[in-house]
Amino acid sequence: HTEIKRICCIGAGYVGGPTCSVIALKCPHIIVTIVDLNPARIAAWNSEDFALPIYEPGLEDVVRQTRGRNLFFSTEVDKAVQEADLIFVSVNTPTKTSGVGAGYAADLNYVESATRHIAQVATSSKIVVEKSTVPCRTASSMRTILESNSRPGCHFDILSNPEFLAEGTAIADLYNPDRVLIGALDTPEGAAACAALSSVYANWVPKERILNVGLWSSELSKLAANALLAQRISSINALSAICETTGADVREVAHAVGLDSRIGSKFLRASVGFGGSCFQKDILNLVYLSESLHLPEVAKYWRSVVDMNEWQKLRFAKTVVDNLFGTITNKRIAVLGFAFKADTGDTRESPAITLVKSFVAERAKVAVYDPQVSHDQIWMDMQSACSTPKQELSKQLTLHTDAQSTFAGASAIVVVTEWAEFASPNFDWEGAFAAMTKPAFVFDGRGIVNGARLREIGFKVVTIGRGENL
Ligand code: NAD
Ligand code: UDX
């Protein structure tokens, strides 16, 4: 098979950036160039003070070791494509907002234009790897586009190699993946391309964890993995509602059922709802696929995972209002955390957006603090969620650079993201209590605060999935 000497990655985002930085680290003999159309993003990757465009624990260290050695970030897409033996397509595939399949189907415009661009500029044969999460059959569309537009003498092999990293643990996940999945055509060329990509991963991933399957299976496995993970969260969240009304404790229930080795203990943390750029998008994608295949029952089944998640978010917002005597108008609500999970600055589909929007709709004064998310990002998210300009929104919404300053005169603290800071024994809950109006409430959407200690201070505490509330 071809020996891979140069890799190009199209898309310098949450997936392309960390994935290809780790490849560069683990394969010093391969030159890796990550390209993007967005010059600001590339400039951030190249910034002298390593102010990288995404926050991911351990990432800066990897980039410090590799950048300028065998890792390069560039906006010169054509050059990087021409020089590469293998190209990862790692562009965004958001849910379509208009046209056929709006609200469900993946927008494949970025994948298609990157693919067309490869065909247009490539002057030699390439292995093209679909890294983005895409609906089934996309690899075959990419192949058709490449074959119909290639220059004479240029041959393209297409592979599917979905990414399973989770944000916040991306580097650890990439160092030590449960598996690397490579989908290929069942042809000698497909097998050779698959062997070439496998040999890149084999620099640090044990061979038995590199799995070769068909293209379709590979594409569907990615959607299936995210659907099954999200389904576990919706299942435990559905149980959390039962716990709250019966006096059971969802942590105890999750622990008890998780000890059954057939169920397993991971991914059973009840929460204010799952967020992130993947789960909802990929399930809706699966729903759309099922509908297209005339399988309405299957579509409805997966749709319910997303419906349960929406309900959980709104249920939590309603719990806040109900406990605050039915109204939060003009009351200050301190929101701790805005990212969709801890250890990331990413806010895509964050449950915080839904919560803050509903507090704003109730005419509350909302004070938000997150240790990583930039204020610009929060303004952008909330302006678009509320369809209200910043100037208007700022009458109700204030953003803070520390937790304590959100508490002055607040009626309630709402914990939305499970940042270690909020769970730390050093967190100044006494100070918070002193600054707030009474009764002072804490609504814990992540089950991370020490309820007993907070009640001793005088707080009324409401935790997702716990009957012993208040
Ligand atoms: P992202 O938006 O962070 O990054 C995508 C980048 O691609 C953007 O910077 C954009 O400017 C660039 N781009 C788009 N079209 C381009 C083109 N034609 N040429 C050059 N650059 C182009 O997205 P992401 O979170 O990295 O996700 C990428 C893909 O990976 C998606 O399909 C997603 O579903 C999948 N995925 C994401 C995660 C995750 O945790 N974020 C995990 C697994 C898989
Ligand atoms: C997910 C998949 O885990 C990953 O394999 C895939 O490649 C991309 O999508 P990510 O969205 O980055 O990763 O984070 P993840 O850890 O899966 O969390 C997603 C959401 O679920 C977060 O909002 C998180 O807080 C929530 N969650 C997770 C729970 O509410 N309970 C849990 O038990 C686990």
Side-chain angles (χ1 to χ4, degrees):
H1 64 78
T2 340
E3 196 203 332
I4 307 298
K5 298 198 188 80
R6 279 177 182 268
I7 289 177
C8 165
C9 174
I10 303 183
Y14 285 89
V15 168
T19 309
C20 286
S21 299
V22 166
I23 291 181
L25 182 74
K26 299 291 186 180
C27 310
H29 54 288
I30 298 178
I31 295 177
V32 181
T33 306
I34 306 179
V35 296
D36 204 292
L37 296 175
N38 179 344
R41 226 171 194 186
I42 292 299
W45 282 109
N46 280 326
S47 60
E48 250 171 64
D49 57 351
F50 290 85
L52 306 182
I54 63 180
Y55 171 73
E56 192 57 62
L59 176 63
E60 183 183 326
D61 184 47
V62 176
V63 176
R64 278 184 187 273
Q65 289 183 62
T66 49
R67 198 178 75 187
R69 180 188 85 178
N70 64 327
L71 176 66
F72 302 91
F73 296 92
S74 166
T75 50
E76 289 180 72
V77 180
D78 297 9
K79 181 166 176 276
V81 164
Q82 281 161 358
E83 291 175 350
D85 308 306
L86 182 146
I87 301 164
F88 284 109
V89 177
S90 198
V91 301
N92 38 329
T93 50
T95 306
K96 278 181 83 171
T97 52
S98 62
V100 177
Y104 289 91
D107 184 348
L108 293 176
N109 170 42
Y110 304 99
V111 170
E112 172 159 352
S113 66
T115 309
R116 284 191 182 275
H117 200 80
I118 295 170
Q120 193 193 330
V121 304
T123 48
S124 60
S125 297
K126 316 277 174 205
I127 297 173
V128 178
V129 185
E130 170 193 86
K131 189 61 139 169
S132 300
T133 303
V134 288
C136 299
R137 281 250 118 112
T138 303
S140 115
S141 311
M142 288 170 75
R143 197 159 68 98
T144 310
I145 291 169
L146 289 167
E147 279 172 0
S148 329
N149 293 285
S150 62
R151 297 182 192 202
C154 288
H155 172 78
F156 296 103
D157 287 302
I158 184 111
L159 297 173
S160 157
N161 173 222
E163 185 50 59
F164 294 99
L165 68 80
E167 288 176 30
T169 53
I171 301 300
D173 294 343
L174 288 164
Y175 282 174
N176 189 22
D178 286 346
R179 78 311 206 179
V180 168
L181 188 59
I182 304 177
L185 277 183
D186 190 13
T187 59
E189 293 82 14
C194 182
L197 180 58
S198 301
S199 72
V200 172
Y201 285 110
N203 283 292
W204 78 98
V205 179
K207 279 214 168 53
E208 59 281 5
R209 287 200 218 157
I210 303 176
L211 217 67
N212 299 335
V213 298
L215 277 176
W216 257 83
S217 301
S218 174
E219 290 173 333
L220 185 57
S221 299
K222 175 63 199 179
L223 297 183
N226 276 349
L228 287 164
L229 288 168
Q231 183 203 43
R232 279 173 77 88
I233 303 170
S234 277
S235 299
I236 200 71
N237 283 344
L239 290 164
S240 77
I242 298 182
C243 290
E244 285 164 32
T245 46
T246 54
D249 181 336
V250 76
R251 274 177 321 177
E252 292 179 350
V253 174
H255 180 64
V257 301
L259 288 174
D260 187 323
S261 61
R262 294 168 302 174
I263 296 174
S265 61
K266 292 180 182 162
F267 252 70
L268 287 178
R269 276 177 287 120
S271 68
V272 57
F274 60 74
S277 64
C278 292
F279 282 174
Q280 176 171 311
K281 161 174 83 74
D282 294 348
I283 294 177
L284 294 177
N285 212 320
L286 196 59
V287 170
Y288 185 70
L289 177 72
S290 311
E291 293 280 8
S292 318
L293 298 171
H294 306 292
L295 300 168
E297 289 79 5
V298 180
K300 193 170 155 225
Y301 175 75
W302 288 114
R303 170 81 229 182
S304 73
V305 172
V306 175
D307 293 342
M308 177 56 63
N309 196 51
E310 283 306 305
W311 183 73
Q312 182 78 346
K313 289 187 272 183
L314 297 175
R315 189 173 79 81
F316 188 65
K318 185 166 181 298
T319 301
V320 173
V321 178
D322 288 351
N323 278 286
L324 291 173
F325 316 105
T327 175
I328 55 171
T329 299
N330 286 325
K331 293 181 185 170
R332 185 180 230 200
I333 310 291
V335 171
L336 296 186
F338 197 84
F340 80 96
K341 66 185 280 196
D343 294 326
T344 178
D346 195 351
T347 62
R348 291 178 289 178
E349 305 298 336
S350 176
I353 299 173
T354 311
L355 289 174
V356 172
K357 183 183 170 185
S358 80
F359 298 154
V360 166
E362 295 290 338
R363 291 182 285 133
K365 301 265 190 276
V366 189
V368 178
Y369 164 68
D370 186 284
Q372 272 301 329
V373 179
S374 75
H375 289 187
D376 284 350
Q377 185 62 48
I378 300 179
W379 283 123
M380 244 161 28
D381 289 335
M382 292 320 304
Q383 286 182 96
S384 112
C386 302
S387 312
T388 309
K390 177 175 170 181
Q391 207 188 359
E392 191 59 29
L393 210 51
S394 60
K395 293 177 188 158
Q396 279 181 267
L397 178 62
T398 54
L399 308 184
H400 299 252
T401 49
D402 64 292
Q404 286 300 327
S405 68
T406 63
F407 301 143
S411 304
I413 298 173
V414 181
V415 179
V416 184
T417 312
E418 72 284 21
W419 284 103
E421 180 181 338
F422 309 144
S424 156
N426 302 323
F427 193 83
D428 184 11
W429 290 107
E430 284 82 2
F433 186 75
M436 292 171 67
T437 60
K438 310 294 172 331
F441 287 83
V442 172
F443 296 91
D444 182 1
R446 295 289 185 167
I448 56 165
V449 305
N450 181 340
R453 183 183 152 209
L454 265 61
R455 286 190 187 93
E456 235 166 70
I457 297 172
F459 280 108
K460 299 208 175 296
V461 184
V462 179
T463 305
I464 283 267
R466 275 186 229 161
E468 35 94 274
N469 279 332
L470 298 177

